[in-house]
Each structure stands twice: as C-alpha cells, then as structure tokens.
Amino acid sequence: MRFKTDYKMDRKQFLQLSSMGLASLPLSSPFSATNKPIVISTWDSGMEVNAAAWKILSNKGKSVDAVEAGATHIEDTINCCVGLGGYPDRDGTVTLDACIMDERGNCGAVAGMEQIKHPIAVARKVMEKTPHVLLVGDGAQQFAIENGFVKESKTLSAEAQDAYQKWLETSEYKPQINIELKQGNGPSAPSFFTDGSPNHDTMGLVAMDCNGDLSGAVTTSGMAFKMHGRVGDSPIIGAGLFVDNEVGAATSSGVGEEVIRICGTHLVVELMRQGYTPEMACKKAIERIVHRDPAKAKNIQVGFLAMNKKGEYGAYAIQKGFVFSVKSNTENQIHAAKHLI
Ligand code: SD4
C-alpha cells in the first residue's frame, strides 16, 4: 500500500492501516511547514561540512551541488576517516569509497579507489558521464584520470602513518569488533575508540534545497586497517545512502557489513514511506541489526541519520556516542542520537 507523500490519511487508508495494526504509528504532522533548505551530516565534523553545503543551499542552489560541496570540503581536511589523509588498509594503502544520489534517483559511486583526492567528484562523474553506478579499484582510478583528476602520491599523512605503525605492533584483525565502538556523553563529548585511539568518521550528508529536492553524498576511507579490497556500506546505494525524492533520504555510519546485511538506508527510507518519523525509521533499522545478532551488536556501532520530505530529521544508533550536525534557517548545531544499548 502506498500513502500520499504528505502523510495525510483519508478514511480508507486509516482503515487499511488499522487492519495492519499500524494506525498508531508516529506520523508526521500534516500541518507543519516544510523546513527547507536544510542539510544534515554525520558526526560533529558535519558542522563544517554543513557550512560548505549551506553556501550553495542559501543561494538557492541545488541539493546535489550542496552535498558534493560538503563532501569535497571534508576530503580536503586531514581526517582519519575520509580522503587521502585517512587511515590505510592493513597493507598500508589508503583506499577511498564515495557515492552520491540526486532527486531523480540518479546515482554514482566509486569504491577502493587509490590516489585520487576527491572521490565524491569522481562518483558524480560516474553518475553523469557513464551508464553505470559503481566503478571500483583501478578502473575507478583510470576513469578519474581520463576525466582530468590528478594521480596523487601514495604517501600516508603523518597521523595515518603513526596510527598504522601502532596498529602493526599487534596487527590484530578485528574489523567488526570494538573498532567502531565510540564513547561520549552527548554533543560536547569527544568520540573515540574504546581503546582511546582517534575517531573513525565516515561523512554522510543529506540535503533538501529551496525547491524541496533531496540529495545525499557519502565519502570515506572506510574501516581502518581493513583487508585490501574490503568495501563497506558507504559507496553502496541502499546501504550507506539512499534518496527517494517523494519520501526522504538516509545515510549511515559504523560497521558497514551490518548496514549492508539489512540494506540499511533503503530500509530507513521505506519505513519513512510507511509513515514512520525519521527517528523512528532509524530506530527500527537499528533494531533489525541488533535483533539479527544481539551478541555481536553489543560490540559494534552503527548509526543511521535520516530526513523526510518536510525537512524533519532524526537519527538512531546501536551505542551511545553517535552525533550528527544540522544546519537550516533556524538552527546550526550538533545533536546526540538516541541509542538502543
Ligand atoms: C565502513 N561505514 O567502511 C564505513 C565506516 C564508517 O564511521 O562509517 N565509519 O564500513
């Protein structure tokens, strides 16, 4: 059954919902005005990402340009988890994943790409210049170079080199256990691995422009010290990012394998289509992960962040510590996501 996108129900739809036991779902208010333009991003580093996106949104620019600008900004910073300054895989090579999706369901992605500074820009070129959605590894790099991108050096950033040397001391391969578990006490608390080492922050952002059109982007160096060739959720449409311009959009951060297993962001958007608020849709998706393997869930972090067509937003995580940043005409701040465990 499909509901009207403004979530108003007529009597027939209400009776259909009741028969499915869904009539008490938290529906968005049919009377609130749309909150646009707006951009939401994962983590506290989302504040600067939102500022970059806002330059475009506040000038009546398109959401797809805004999310690309936000992702490009963070790729230019030295960050453990995004861009060429990010942590390498276990062989010492930085490999980058990114994707972008616009209001018409167009999408493009790159995965496992080396030595190219702006994977998000390459993802957009894949979207606009090829009949494909995803290019990987050498093929992605070759396509980037053919399109004017410069092949950068393989040298690790000083931060990444230090972290890699430290990791090599044990070379413990535990990509799904603890590596993503962060602590924190709300927006002001720093987030870090439980062993005290630095953050691992994939950047995912979703924006709605003045026209009410939604787009999203994700960029990451992926899980630190992963196997060479490992790809997480971030560049996978429907896992790390999904946009449906009639309903809403969602992005994710955390252990990508768990997100892929439930087609996480597609699930969140479909739950919003059924009438769930963004926060409740994220919560339901998190519950799905925890329900599948409660013992594993205790030791990992996944967070979802979503926005609906009204510019209402929400997030949910397995563990405490997932924060997200919001910029609109009325706010510019970091929020702590609720968590299940
Ligand atoms: C991955 N989801 O590669 C990414 C990692 C991440 O915050 O989000 N870190 O699985």
Side-chain angles (χ1 to χ4, degrees):
M1 177 173 56
R2 201 165 151 162
F3 306 135
K4 290 174 189 167
T5 49
D6 64 3
Y7 302 122
K8 286 181 201 166
M9 278 184 288
D10 58 27
R11 192 178 134 74
K12 191 171 156 216
Q13 282 177 320
F14 181 80
L15 290 174
Q16 278 176 302
L17 269 177
S18 300
S19 69
M20 292 162 67
L22 297 174
S24 61
L25 289 179
L27 294 171
S28 311
S29 159
F31 302 112
S32 65
T34 301
N35 181 19
K36 64 183 180 186
I38 176 169
V39 54
I40 58 175
S41 302
T42 52
W43 304 110
D44 40 5
S45 51
M47 290 296 279
E48 53 181 297
V49 165
N50 288 352
W54 190 253
K55 285 186 191 149
I56 292 173
L57 293 173
S58 59
N59 281 310
K60 299 197 164 38
K62 285 175 66 64
S63 57
V64 69
D65 295 326
V67 294
E68 183 182 358
T72 302
H73 171 85
I74 200 79
E75 287 170 353
D76 275 333
T77 64
I78 292 290
N79 183 308
C80 63
C81 319
V82 175
L84 290 177
Y87 288 1
D89 62 24
R90 67 178 182 177
D91 299 339
T93 303
V94 176
T95 63
L96 303 178
D97 304 332
C99 72
I100 192 162
M101 190 164 189
D102 75 9
E103 78 281 2
R104 286 174 296 149
N106 296 315
C107 46
V110 291
M113 186 172 69
E114 295 174 29
Q115 294 175 263
I116 301 290
K117 200 171 178 185
H118 289 303
I120 194 65
V122 184
R124 184 156 182 185
K125 286 259 187 289
V126 172
M127 173 171 92
E128 290 177 346
K129 292 188 124 188
T130 79
H132 308 301
V133 168
L134 174 61
L135 294 181
V136 304
D138 289 348
Q141 188 194 68
Q142 184 187 330
F143 172 76
I145 291 165
E146 281 165 11
N147 280 277
F149 291 82
V150 173
K151 189 170 171 185
E152 308 283 344
S153 114
K154 277 189 108 159
T155 312
L156 297 181
S157 65
E159 291 84 346
Q161 184 63 40
D162 283 355
Y164 183 50
Q165 287 307 326
K166 193 164 167 246
W167 179 78
L168 281 175
E169 286 166 17
T170 57
S171 303
E172 213 174 349
Y173 196 66
K174 278 189 178 175
Q176 294 193 0
I177 301 170
N178 282 343
I179 199 161
E180 289 287 337
L181 184 56
K182 296 168 189 237
Q183 302 173 340
N185 292 310
S188 58
S191 46
F192 43 81
F193 295 166
T194 44
D195 65 3
S197 60
N199 228 335
H200 184 85
D201 295 22
T202 288
M203 178 46 58
L205 67 158
V206 164
M208 182 160 58
D209 60 30
C210 294
N211 286 331
D213 285 331
L214 290 161
S215 299
V218 180
T219 185
T220 188
S221 49
M223 194 175 277
F225 320 127
K226 62 197 174 186
M227 282 183 194
H228 187 65
R230 177 266 182 191
V231 174
D233 57 326
S234 303
I236 309 295
I237 299 298
L241 176 71
F242 196 68
V243 177
D244 183 321
N245 205 40
E246 289 190 359
V247 176
T251 187
S252 60
S253 189
V255 177
E257 284 75 3
E258 297 307 311
V259 178
I260 292 171
R261 285 187 178 105
I262 64 155
C263 297
T265 54
H266 183 261
L267 175 61
V268 170
V269 171
E270 289 308 302
L271 288 165
M272 289 194 288
R273 191 192 308 279
Q274 290 173 20
Y276 285 94
T277 61
E279 183 181 292
M280 282 302 290
C282 292
K283 184 179 184 201
K284 289 273 158 199
I286 290 293
E287 284 172 351
R288 188 82 64 96
I289 291 173
V290 173
H291 180 72
R292 201 188 69 76
D293 192 339
K296 186 198 268 182
K298 280 190 190 147
N299 292 317
I300 60 166
Q301 176 66 303
V302 171
F304 289 110
L305 172 64
M307 183 197 294
N308 67 16
K309 201 52 188 166
K310 289 186 170 175
E312 296 165 334
Y313 57 81
Y316 227 91
I318 300 179
Q319 316 277 348
K320 188 175 184 178
F322 180 48
V323 300
F324 62 99
S325 304
V326 178
K327 172 73 185 137
S328 70
N329 281 318
T330 53
E331 70 171 311
N332 186 25
Q333 59 182 316
I334 301 168
H335 294 263
K338 290 185 190 158
H339 51 97
L340 212 57
I341 295 180

